[in-house]
Amino acid sequence: MSMASTRLIPRRTRQRSFLPTLSFQEALVKGYAVMDANAFGLCKENKLPIVVFNINQPGATARVLAGERVGTIVQ
């Protein structure tokens, strides 16, 4: 699992909405900036899911590492 601490905001619309899951293809097509392109490509190529969450939320990183469902999973 890879973690990305950001918010999923489409580049074109800038509307915020919570997405529990997202495919790698959807993230590319809809223009979500999950992480840098090389890291994103490596995760996609190796079928490594990415957890996107708000790192500014207290305890969020610990909750992700403990296996709690936090943020969006890109797979």
Side-chain angles (χ1 to χ4, degrees):
M1 168 180 49
S2 181
M3 296 188 297
S5 58
T6 187
R7 293 189 181 125
L8 291 174
I9 304 170
R11 289 183 184 155
R12 289 178 225 127
T13 64
R14 296 289 183 204
Q15 292 177 341
R16 295 180 185 206
S17 61
F18 176 72
L19 302 168
T21 59
L22 188 66
S23 72
F24 284 104
Q25 188 62 31
E26 286 175 308
L28 289 171
V29 170
K30 293 182 179 181
Y32 290 111
V34 176
M35 56 179 37
D36 74 82
N38 288 332
F40 185 82
L42 286 170
C43 288
K44 180 181 177 187
E45 182 178 311
N46 292 295
K47 297 182 172 96
L48 185 65
I50 302 167
V51 178
V52 183
F53 66 100
N54 184 352
I55 199 166
N56 295 319
Q57 184 179 20
T61 304
R63 290 175 42 219
V64 169
L65 293 174
E68 284 186 48
R69 181 66 186 248
V70 177
T72 299
I73 298 177
V74 181
Q75 53 186 356

